[in-house]
Amino acid sequence: MTLRVKPSSEGPIFVSFDEHKGLRYGRVLSELSVAPVLDNPAETFLYSIGSCMAISLQKLALRRKNEIHPFHLQITGHKGEFLPAHFTHYDIQLSNSIHPDRELAETLFKDAKKICTISNSVSGSF
């Protein structure tokens, strides 16, 4: 017997790549800190995805010699309808501030997903 649950979501949480090339975390974009609050396993997982994507974006830009500007990611995880509890998909939004060329920013974002170990290790779709 499969138990059905009400679909829900976790987040959004934010991961920011700042002007000092450091990461900042938080539940509210205006209140970021150098370490995420890790009191919720689902949010901890979302912070992991956000961190991996931010670092992957930075590494790709360096490798391709593309200058990027401070940016943030907003991550929301959507849970499935059936137990056990799991995320079935994720919404990840990249701020426009990363680069003035939207096409370049989209390419970096798409390619960062390909090299992000965490996003490639989970069964949900991005």
Side-chain angles (χ1 to χ4, degrees), residues 20-41:
H20 305 293
K21 301 190 183 337
L23 296 180
R24 300 210 171 262
Y25 309 87
R27 294 176 177 140
V28 179
L29 189 56
S30 61
E31 299 175 14
L32 302 178
S33 64
V34 295
V37 176
L38 302 176
D39 61 356
N40 175 322

Side-chain angles (χ1 to χ4, degrees), residues 1 24 35 51 59 77 82 92 94 100 109 115:
M1 176 177 180
R24 300 210 171 262
S51 297
K59 298 287 184 195
F82 301 98
I92 303 178
L94 174 63
F109 185 69
I115 67 167

Side-chain angles (χ1 to χ4, degrees), residues 8-16 23-27 36-38 40-54 73-79 86-93 116 118-119 122 124-126:
S8 64
S9 61
E10 287 285 340
I13 58 94
F14 297 89
V15 176
S16 173
L23 296 180
R24 300 210 171 262
Y25 309 87
R27 294 176 177 140
V37 176
L38 302 176
N40 175 322
E43 285 184 358
T44 300
F45 180 71
L46 296 178
Y47 283 124
S48 297
I49 292 171
S51 297
C52 188
M53 288 293 291
L73 297 161
Q74 177 179 317
I75 303 99
T76 303
H78 301 280
K79 293 184 177 178
H86 65 288
F87 290 119
T88 58
H89 68 280
Y90 312 89
D91 293 326
I92 303 178
Q93 297 177 1
C116 175
I118 294 170
S119 67
V122 297
S125 61
F126 281 78

